[in-house]
Amino acid sequence: MSRPEPFPADFVFGAASSAYQIEGSPLADGAGPSIWHEFVRRPGVIDDGSSGDVACDHYHRYGDDIGIMRQLGLPAYRFSVSWSRIFPDGTGRINGPGLDFYRRLIDGLRQAGIEPYLTLYHWDLPAALDRRGGWFARDSAGWFADYAHTLFRALGDSVSHWMTLNEPWVVNDGGYLFGVHAPGRQSLQEPPRVAHNLLRAHALAVQAFRADGNGRIGLVVNLEPKYRESDSDADRIATDRAHAYMNRQYLDPVLLGHYPDELADIFAPHWPEFSSEDMKLLQEPFDFLGVNYYTRSVNRADPSHVIGAVPVRQSGAEYTEMGWEVYPQGLTETLLWIKRRYGDIPLYITENGAALADPAPVAGHIQDDHRIAYYRSHLRAVLDAMAQGANVKGYFAWSLLDNFEWSCGYTKRFGLVHVDYATQKRTPKASAEFYRKVIASRGAVLFS
Ligand code: FCB
């Protein structure tokens, strides 16, 4: 195959983060608690017993962090807004100082020439709304649309790229089915309605945006190609179910107008009939799809598992500290699969990166060659997909900073920039310098 062209001039490079993972000071300036603020206080749920109480202290150090982004030459930055900073009770009263924090952040980004990409929901539901049923409550879609509408009005003059939900699959799988994430529910009955309410929330927010917003709005999903361990019928059926559950559950309804049949099977007898009005609402057109890509999985049938499939480790393959296989060609396949199945919707890679054991600093220098290799291979995989017709508009590295990795606490480091949590000192790793060169050369350095 001939060498693909490096990235086009209008391709957007950035780095991504989320509020609870980096900000710290979760109750500052009148904010209400989120479900993560409460969840981390349960004994045993976070590997190192930590919380996001301080995290990277970005709430106070955002100015320095913008300075780091500028040094890296980042054209764009994806971050999320913490809903309970804006609405401490989830609905009703607006907390001005919470909004002011994001105004300061966005103004700082703009002054540095960095384009803000704003995610409305990255998992930190106001705890007050969980007490009203959380995403299982049908009203949750309206609560979210009101919150979104408030931000469109308050920040719409300075933000032109918006994302509704980050990874609804993880919200539901971690939060409502297995309970390893906030709010820690373990239910077979709730997930079908949670999925549906999340997508109704997304669609109502897009409608509010059309009425009262500027720019472009999209949905962010995590996708993971599903392979089968063998060609047995059992492995084939199990792998199809895993694929329907993870990759199609949130895309088929919004882009094709129906849920995958496999879900009724998986969740029997709890899968409801949804009204045709609802199904029509879910198809509200949006402007782009954000794809978070980390790995693939190879599946084996296992009837004792809810979904009926379990992932199997591949001998000889490389795995990150998360136990995720390094599989760059899966990103190419995923991007092309979206185009084949759903059409030519503009795509952004909204997250991609790796938690790896970084070498110790030598004279303040962290030579994380394995992370450089990960970025190199995955950025090349994006180029491969584009050369084959995928409509990819941008790429965001996960993550700018080492941060609070949910149930793993601070035990996993995804950052381009190392954070010493005792001192809050930031040290760009060698991968940050590599990414700076990728951006500056529009990808040419990937081939040198
Ligand atoms: C994604 C999340 C993000 C981060 C990465 C590693 O699922 O969106 O917050 O935890 O995984």
Side-chain angles (χ1 to χ4, degrees), residues 17 28 85 91 121 139 216-217 219 312 406:
S17 72
R85 288 197 196 281
T91 56
Y121 186 72
D139 286 348
R216 297 177 172 275
I217 191 160
L219 171 69
V312 202
W406 309 112

Side-chain angles (χ1 to χ4, degrees), residues 156-216:
D157 51 352
S158 42
V159 177
S160 50
H161 290 83
W162 298 79
M163 287 147 285
T164 54
L165 308 174
N166 180 70
E167 302 188 352
W169 181 84
V170 176
V171 172
N172 201 357
D173 181 87
Y176 292 83
L177 181 61
F178 291 111
V180 298
H181 281 184
R185 298 230 262 274
Q186 292 176 313
S187 162
L188 261 180
Q189 186 224 337
E190 290 185 342
R193 289 194 193 276
V194 168
H196 192 64
N197 290 335
L198 284 163
L199 291 179
R200 289 176 50 243
H202 154 79
L204 289 179
V206 175
Q207 287 187 346
F209 188 73
R210 298 296 178 228
D212 219 351
N214 296 312
R216 297 177 172 275

